[in-house]
Amino acid sequence: MISRFVTKMRIASITNRNTINKSKHNFVSVILVTSMGVTGVIWGMGEMKWLQSMELGIYDRMLRLRHREPMDPRLLLVTIAEEDIKREKWPLSDQTVNQLLKKLASYQPRVVGLNIYRPQQKDLGNNLTPSGQVIATCLLSNIGRSEVPPPGNIPTDNIGFDDVVSDNQVDQVIRRALLFAEPTEKDEKCQTEFSFGTLLAITYLDRQGIRYTFGQNQELQIGKAVFHRLDKNGGGYQHVDTNGYQILLNYRHPQDLAQQVTLTQVMTGKVKPSWVKDRLVIIGAIANSVHPGYYTPYSSLSEQSPRLSRMMIHAQVASQIISAALDGRAVINYWSDWLEWLWIWSYAVIGAILTRKWHHPIPVTIALTVVILLTLAIVTILSWQAIWIPFFRPVLCLIMSSIAMISYTSYRVQKQNQIILAQVQKQQQAIEEMSLLWEQKTQLPTHVDQFDFVDAVTSGDTDLLLAGRYQIMRNLGSGGFGRTYLVEDTQNQNKDQHHTCVIKQLMPARRDDKFLQVARRLFNTEAEILAIVGQHPQIPQLLGYFEDRQEFYLVQEYIVGHTLSQELPPVTGAKSQSFVIAMLLEILEILSFIHQHHVIHRDIKPSNIMRRHQDNRLCLIDFGAVKLIQPQINPGTESATVSIGTRGYSPPEQLAGHPRLSSDIYALGMIGIQAVTGNFPQELPLDPQTGNVVWRHLGIVSDQLASILDKMVCYNFGDRYLSARAVIEDLNCSFSP
């Protein structure tokens, strides 16, 4: 007989278990799909340049937030302002320019840069010594603009082009420095490859014995400083035009760039020789009437002029190159593409994980806010180290990933609710039919042939496996509805997850075809419901279910712990108010979850609440509807009836066969009263007028908690709390610190 049974067990269908496993969405796969999908959307938006302006705006703000550096002591700026133009007239005469250069040369500057176009002047600086001290400028041809040639008597090696590059397609702000460029065929006279600012710096450093080279990857190197060529997708840029040799311009604060004197001060001898000696002197117009200037990252500062002159831009470039070569001042850098996208994708992962972990909007909002603030701190600190990393894209990825996960979770909850509602309807129909069958059955059988697996194993049948995979370890208990076994899953490859589990053997009280048909429907619907609610971390996960020999089996997660019965009277003394509040809040959170899915536990009692040893959390076990196929017939302290539930803990409507969501709240309230009074619920007196439990004189608790417990256990379900969430809110409101 046993061998036939074993054979039958080995071929028992476990299709239901496979269905459950398929319906369980793997946490990692959901996170990966969501994060990769959101990152792909962000990438597409980046390719369309929709996010570039935001990243550049944040970059500008990071530059402005940096600590202000001291002035560059190697530069002197000779500015031509509106007052100077009124005195000398514009354009400056050849005589005035040469007189200015001669005056400066007497103070022995190392290099003089003249950022004024002098294409007609043939004798520029002829009388200066040493020769080659003056760097002049020209202008390359551009769309709709002809070239501006350099002075005729200045050698090409002393000519730098005056062109700059701005982000015209975004906001016309200058964030990049153009160091080198190839003249076009239209540039007949402006044939230099060096920008004006670059040539000034290179000439200045060359006279100090520091020369430029092009090292690995043909990148400019001067001294120990390497000026990395800007990539078209560098930092927050997306497909930017990087023709020529461009770098990110590492601005000094415009007010702290270098010492400044006016043209008038130089011409009238009001400049100290020490201000000029061995310095790089740059001469240029800052008057708006000459040129309106350019927008910079500092243009939004109230104390700063909205635009910066071309001369000041070249001075910034020269200062950056010189200070990097001599002082090791940082050159603004950025991460490679793959590292940036890893950084951005990680935020999609974080957003998905946080939203998946905390479903309530308040903790999710707090967590996201903390992450954004931490990101801002990281980006700011790195910007101080001259490293530009994206901020807007990862934050947007974080938010979009959270929204996507919320939408996905809401969709899944809706689908699960639809499934559960359908199963609940089937369950209710089965319960009604089961109740009719119990009414037809006036006497329960005194004995039913039930196969005992433990006896089979101890008798020598060690090869016995339930469903061909579960090896029995020991019998955990038995009751009127069947037995519970601790088993080892021999087919589980992951030894760390559900390797040891529990099988509950449920034996129908009757074996006639009609009863078994209804019992099977009730069992299947209950199992499908458990498969969904078991996703809560404090409800045992349903790992599978199957039927064999007209008996039903649930395979569930094994929770190592002890029941709440061992913590309550009479095993212990009456519990404190703080214990009761903590216990109520923890179980109410679980009830809130299952009630949102329209599921009623039906058998809340201390023996169905486990204290998990791993994390000391309370877990809810043994949902009650399936027990109707074999109710307990031996009355005890927690005596059961043919209806689902346990006397003392079950409210009147549930004992009458009409449970509601508030029925679970009633049962939990009775556990709370048992904890504070030390009395079993069935021992408490009832008010003959209202039917409500009279218990306050037996326990010592605050009026607030007593009122909450009274409302939880009202005889009339209409007078009770309508939801577990309402009880939680009252408890938090009354006892929050």
Side-chain angles (χ1 to χ4, degrees):
M1 174 180 178
I2 292 179
S3 61
R4 290 197 306 272
F5 178 80
V6 171
T7 301
K8 192 170 185 179
M9 286 297 294
R10 290 186 185 278
I11 62 173
S13 172
I14 55 172
T15 304
N16 290 332
R17 184 181 191 280
N18 293 332
T19 302
I20 293 173
N21 289 338
K22 291 179 181 179
S23 66
K24 291 186 179 297
H25 291 256
N26 184 277
F27 179 81
V28 175
S29 64
V30 171
I31 297 299
L32 286 176
V33 170
T34 302
S35 61
M36 294 300 290
V38 170
T39 304
V41 171
I42 296 296
W43 177 84
M45 295 171 68
E47 290 295 301
M48 300 294 292
K49 298 187 178 183
W50 293 349
L51 309 178
Q52 182 174 245
S53 61
M54 293 300 300
E55 288 288 8
L56 295 179
I58 294 170
Y59 171 73
D60 294 347
R61 184 174 293 273
M62 291 297 105
L63 288 181
R64 295 193 296 269
L65 288 175
R66 297 186 304 175
H67 68 280
R68 293 172 66 160
E69 301 175 79
M71 289 185 180
D72 192 333
R74 303 176 182 91
L75 270 65
L76 177 67
L77 307 180
V78 180
T79 61
I80 305 173
E82 297 290 353
E83 294 78 7
D84 300 304
I85 292 176
K86 290 179 182 178
R87 181 177 180 274
E88 298 290 343
K89 305 302 181 181
W90 189 265
L92 298 179
S93 66
D94 295 351
Q95 181 181 359
T96 300
V97 173
N98 272 335
Q99 185 179 354
L100 172 64
L101 294 175
K102 187 174 182 178
K103 189 80 172 178
L104 289 171
S106 66
Y107 299 142
Q108 298 179 342
R110 184 179 297 186
V111 179
V112 175
L114 183 62
N115 191 239
I116 302 173
Y117 301 139
R118 312 298 301 169
Q120 306 303 323
Q121 188 168 354
K122 304 299 184 180
D123 61 344
L124 182 63
N126 276 347
N127 298 322
L128 301 184
T129 56
S131 61
Q133 191 175 20
V134 175
I135 304 296
T137 188
C138 62
L139 194 65
L140 298 171
S141 61
N142 206 331
I143 298 176
R145 185 194 70 196
S146 302
E147 69 167 339
V148 176
N153 66 310
I154 301 294
T156 303
D157 290 344
N158 283 27
I159 300 297
F161 60 78
D162 202 23
D163 299 75
V164 295
V165 289
S166 62
D167 295 326
N168 293 326
Q169 296 183 348
V170 183
D171 49 15
Q172 298 184 338
V173 173
I174 291 187
R175 301 180 179 90
R176 297 169 281 155
L178 178 61
L179 304 188
F180 306 99
E182 289 286 344
T184 65
E185 295 179 356
K186 297 180 180 179
D187 298 309
E188 298 178 357
K189 296 182 178 180
C190 189
Q191 286 293 311
T192 179
E193 297 180 353
F194 295 88
S195 74
F196 181 69
T198 305
L199 185 58
L200 288 174
I202 288 176
T203 305
Y204 179 91
L205 293 169
D206 183 71
R207 295 191 175 181
Q208 193 169 326
I210 301 174
R211 293 173 175 78
Y212 73 93
T213 60
F214 286 92
Q216 188 176 7
N217 299 324
Q218 290 299 302
E219 291 189 323
L220 175 65
Q221 182 171 350
I222 306 178
K224 295 182 179 180
V226 178
F227 300 88
H228 301 287
R229 186 193 297 264
L230 180 65
D231 183 76
K232 65 178 182 179
N233 294 318
Y237 282 112
Q238 295 294 322
H239 301 290
V240 68
D241 182 2
T242 56
N243 286 332
Y245 196 111
Q246 299 181 31
I247 64 171
L248 291 170
L249 182 49
N250 190 8
Y251 280 91
R252 293 180 187 267
H253 193 285
Q255 295 179 356
D256 300 331
L257 173 56
Q259 185 178 6
Q260 298 184 29
V261 295
T262 65
L263 170 66
T264 301
Q265 287 177 302
V266 177
M267 299 296 286
T268 57
K270 295 181 179 180
V271 175
K272 295 181 180 180
S274 60
W275 295 354
V276 181
K277 184 176 175 57
D278 206 34
R279 288 196 183 187
L280 168 60
V281 179
I282 306 176
I283 306 168
I286 61 171
N288 290 334
S289 60
V290 176
H291 190 280
Y294 300 93
Y295 293 109
T296 72
Y298 295 88
S299 295
S300 61
L301 295 179
S302 57
E303 74 276 10
Q304 177 63 34
S305 174
R307 298 192 182 209
L308 204 61
S309 67
R310 182 184 279 114
M311 166 249 202
M312 290 294 186
I313 299 296
H314 285 293
Q316 290 279 1
V317 175
S319 175
Q320 174 176 351
I321 295 174
I322 293 171
S323 57
L326 297 181
D327 304 331
R329 183 169 178 253
V331 177
I332 296 181
N333 209 339
Y334 47 85
W335 287 346
S336 60
D337 276 356
W338 71 268
L339 190 56
E340 277 192 3
W341 282 109
L342 181 62
W343 163 258
I344 294 170
W345 171 71
S346 68
Y347 277 78
V349 174
I350 292 172
I353 290 176
L354 291 178
T355 310
R356 183 79 169 172
K357 181 177 178 61
W358 292 308
H359 302 289
H360 198 274
I362 293 179
V364 169
T365 302
I366 293 174
L368 294 180
T369 302
V370 170
V371 172
I372 292 174
L373 291 176
L374 287 174
T375 306
L376 181 60
I378 293 172
V379 171
T380 302
I381 292 173
L382 289 179
S383 72
W384 294 344
Q385 306 299 319
I387 300 175
W388 180 17
I389 65 172
F391 175 78
F392 182 72
R393 281 178 289 169
V395 169
L396 183 60
C397 224
L398 177 79
I399 296 173
M400 289 181 60
S401 178
S402 300
I403 294 173
M405 186 58 71
I406 289 173
S407 302
Y408 170 76
T409 303
S410 299
Y411 170 77
R412 283 204 60 214
V413 169
Q414 290 179 358
K415 296 296 290 184
Q416 289 177 348
N417 282 342
Q418 292 175 359
I419 295 172
I420 288 184
L421 281 173
Q423 297 299 327
V424 167
Q425 292 176 357
K426 294 179 183 178
Q427 182 189 68
Q428 191 58 38
Q429 293 174 359
I431 290 174
E432 292 174 358
E433 293 183 34
M434 186 73 71
S435 300
L436 292 175
L437 291 175
W438 279 118
E439 291 176 1
Q440 298 172 8
K441 182 74 175 180
T442 58
Q443 183 178 359
L444 291 172
T446 58
H447 175 72
V448 179
D449 182 21
Q450 178 181 1
F451 184 80
D452 191 326
F453 296 100
V454 174
D455 290 345
V457 172
T458 51
S459 65
D461 195 353
T462 56
D463 293 333
L464 179 60
L465 295 176
L466 300 182
R469 65 182 298 172
Y470 300 108
Q471 178 70 52
I472 296 174
M473 300 170 65
R474 68 175 186 272
N475 184 5
L476 294 178
S478 61
F481 63 88
R483 294 181 182 271
T484 303
Y485 302 100
L486 182 66
V487 300
E488 181 179 354
D489 188 353
T490 60
Q491 296 183 15
N492 192 339
Q493 300 300 322
N494 187 352
K495 300 301 182 181
D496 296 326
Q497 184 179 12
H498 306 311
H499 183 57
T500 301
C501 48
V502 170
I503 285 188
K504 294 183 179 179
Q505 178 188 10
L506 305 172
M507 181 185 62
R510 289 164 46 179
R511 300 302 179 100
D512 54 279
D513 292 341
K514 189 171 184 181
F515 186 91
L516 283 174
Q517 183 179 4
V518 177
R520 185 176 295 109
R521 286 165 47 201
L522 179 60
F523 172 77
N524 289 336
T525 56
E526 181 80 352
E528 293 290 345
I529 292 172
L530 289 176
I532 295 178
V533 299
Q535 297 176 21
H536 191 281
Q538 290 170 265
I539 297 175
Q541 182 179 347
L542 183 67
L543 306 176
Y545 62 97
F546 55 92
E547 177 187 349
D548 187 81
R549 291 174 60 90
Q550 299 180 346
E551 293 175 358
F552 306 103
Y553 300 86
L554 294 173
V555 185
Q556 289 185 294
E557 172 190 358
Y558 176 51
I559 296 178
V560 180
H562 61 269
T563 66
L564 190 62
S565 302
Q566 300 178 38
E567 300 182 12
L568 299 181
V571 177
T572 64
K575 311 303 290 187
S576 66
Q577 175 171 294
S578 59
F579 174 91
V580 175
I581 293 172
M583 181 268 295
L584 291 176
L585 285 173
E586 194 164 1
I587 300 302
L588 283 167
E589 288 289 352
I590 307 175
L591 291 182
S592 177
F593 171 79
I594 66 172
H595 289 174
Q596 287 175 0
H597 289 82
H598 310 285
V599 175
I600 307 172
H601 185 280
R602 302 171 187 263
D603 198 14
I604 302 287
K605 56 185 179 181
S607 60
N608 282 344
I609 300 174
M610 294 283 294
R611 175 79 69 182
R612 187 164 53 197
H613 290 169
Q614 178 184 0
D615 54 10
N616 205 40
R617 303 187 73 182
L618 295 175
C619 301
L620 193 57
I621 65 173
D622 279 356
F623 285 66
V626 73
K627 296 178 183 178
L628 193 58
I629 65 177
Q630 176 54 279
Q632 295 180 0
I633 58 177
N634 296 320
T637 305
E638 299 175 352
S639 57
T641 61
V642 172
S643 60
I644 306 172
T646 302
R647 285 200 180 278
Y649 299 99
S650 299
E653 74 277 1
Q654 182 170 325
L655 294 175
H658 304 288
R660 301 174 182 270
L661 297 179
S662 62
S663 302
D664 286 343
I665 296 175
Y666 178 97
L668 182 58
M670 294 306 299
I671 295 176
I673 293 174
Q674 177 183 341
V676 298
T677 64
N679 294 77
F680 285 116
Q682 55 268 38
E683 297 173 351
L684 298 173
L686 302 177
D687 186 321
Q689 300 298 323
T690 62
N692 292 334
V693 177
V694 179
W695 64 274
R696 288 200 183 197
H697 63 289
L698 300 173
I700 303 176
V701 293
S702 64
D703 290 339
Q704 295 96 321
L705 180 58
S707 298
I708 292 173
L709 288 172
D710 278 339
K711 190 173 180 180
M712 292 177 70
V713 298
C714 283
Y715 181 86
N716 188 340
F717 63 82
D719 296 331
R720 285 183 222 136
Y721 287 99
L722 299 180
S723 69
R725 183 55 55 185
V727 191
I728 293 172
E729 291 174 357
D730 272 6
L731 285 170
N732 287 331
C733 182
S734 300
F735 302 103
S736 58

